[in-house]
Every structure is written in structure tokens, then in C-alpha cells.
Amino acid sequence: KQEVTQIPAALSVPEGENLVLNCSFTDSAIYNLQWFRQDPGKGLTSLLLIQSSQREQTSGRLNASLDKSSGRSTLYIAASQPGDSATYLCAVRGNQGGKLIFGQGTELSVKP
Amino acid sequence: KAGVTQTPRYLIKTRGQQVTLSCSPISGHRSVSWYQQTPGQGLQFLFEYFSETQRNKGNFPGRFSGRQFSNSRSEMNVSTLELGDSALYLCASSQQERRAGELFFGEGSRLTVL
């Protein structure tokens, strides 16, 4: 059974700092991994999608990497801003397609 | 291009009642899936539909059901509501030209059961 873990559960950093959010999964047989952002009381915003054949994806200040063999993904945020404050969720989809398995999220607070 | 639209955004029901939630996917997306989000359990998969057929179902009781229409719009229904059904219900759509495309979520329907 696939399990997804995100560490840390919460993180507070000063504005301008570069930071890394971690996501680990127990079954390396995944089809893809997706990172989302969720603001309080809102839905999920897709940030990056990494297919199983890819090592990383970049969008603006965000870079996500994937190491299937070790069951890990990281989301790197460069030059953090207060507007980056949100909960970040990673989710994996197995080789059969279908449902996403989510981690519990990392709540990020960027202080001005 | 409009995003995923969910209605209603907020609703309050009492135990024993039933509720129907609606989801309109992004234009051209044929796959719709539903998730339940609670503080204790996080995000859990309910079901997935593609071309009006249920392709996957999560581990929820039979009180939770759904369907998809020919225009790809989807509804989910929860009957005989329980207090524990209070949650944010999220709908997501994707293009399924490839089996596992990127998922785009709506703002959710927040259900409170009293």
C-alpha cells in the first residue's frame, strides 16, 4: 500500500530564504508525482507535475526533483516571499493510473 | 479558459439528510475525480469517472455515490449524512489523452453536518 510522507509538517522562514520541502513515498512504482499548493479554505493549485521518466521540473522560482529509486521528491523554492505562505502537498499516482495518494502537507509561513 | 467549477461552495445539513454536489470540469477534460479533505484524514480519494464510467473507487461506504454526464459534468451524492461527513469535497479534472495527466482542482464544496 502506497504511503506518502511530508517532512516537516510546518516550516517558518524569513523572506528571501531558499528552502526545500521533502516528500517520500514507500512504493517506487509510480506513474507520476504532482506538487500542489493550498491556501486556507481554498482548493488545490497545481504547481508541478513530474512524470516517472523525468528527474526534475522547473517553473519560475520552483524546482521539483524526483528520485524514484529512493522514493523521494523535493520541492525547492528560491527567494521565498510572504505570498508563498500556504500548505504544500505532494501526491503520487501509481502505475495503474487513477487515484492520487496525498501526503499530509507542509505548512509554510514566510515572514516579512 | 474557465477552471473547474464546483457548486455549492458552502452548505449546512443535518444528520440523516442527503446532499448532492456538482462539478463542471475544464472544457475538453473528460476525466473527473472526487476527493474528501478533513483535518484528521487529509485528502482521500472517493471516485474517478471517465466518459460516464466509474474507473476507480476509494474506500468509502455505499452512502457515497457519483455519476458523470455526457457533457463530462459530474455529481456526487452522500445519503444519510453523518457528523463525520463534514469535510471539504474537492473535484478535479484532467485530460486523459494520456492516462495520467495533470490534475486541476476546483475550490471545493465545504459541507457541514450538524
Side-chain angles (χ1 to χ4, degrees), chain A residues 31-32 34 36 38 41-49 51 89 93-104, chain B residues 9-10 35 37 39-43 45 48 56 88 90 94 96 98-108 110:
Chain A
Y31 200 94
N32 59 34
Q34 197 167 349
F36 296 91
Q38 186 174 33
K42 301 287 189 179
L44 277 62
T45 300
S46 178
L47 297 174
L48 290 162
L49 171 70
Q51 302 295 347
L89 295 144
R93 192 192 303 240
N95 278 335
Q96 303 304 316
K99 65 180 180 182
L100 289 177
I101 306 295
F102 282 86
Q104 291 293 324
Chain B
R9 289 291 315 281
Y10 304 91
Y35 291 80
Q37 186 176 32
Q41 299 297 318
L43 276 148
F45 172 77
E48 179 195 13
N56 281 291
L88 180 66
L90 292 162
S94 68
Q96 288 288 306
R98 291 179 302 160
R99 187 168 174 79
E102 187 174 5
L103 259 64
F104 297 91
F105 281 80
E107 291 293 316
R110 182 166 296 281

Side-chain angles (χ1 to χ4, degrees), chain A residues 73-94:
Chain A
S73 176
T74 61
L75 179 67
Y76 175 82
I77 303 177
S80 58
Q81 303 170 358
D84 295 330
S85 298
T87 296
Y88 290 80
L89 295 144
C90 75
V92 300
R93 192 192 303 240

Side-chain angles (χ1 to χ4, degrees), chain B residues 11-12 15-16 19 25 28 32 37 40-41 46 48 50 73 79 84 87 91 94 96 105 108 110:
Chain B
L11 65 167
I12 299 174
R15 280 180 297 173
V19 66
V32 172
Q37 186 176 32
Q41 299 297 318
L46 282 157
E48 179 195 13
F50 179 75
R73 191 177 70 84
S79 62
C91 169
S94 68
Q96 288 288 306
F105 281 80
R110 182 166 296 281

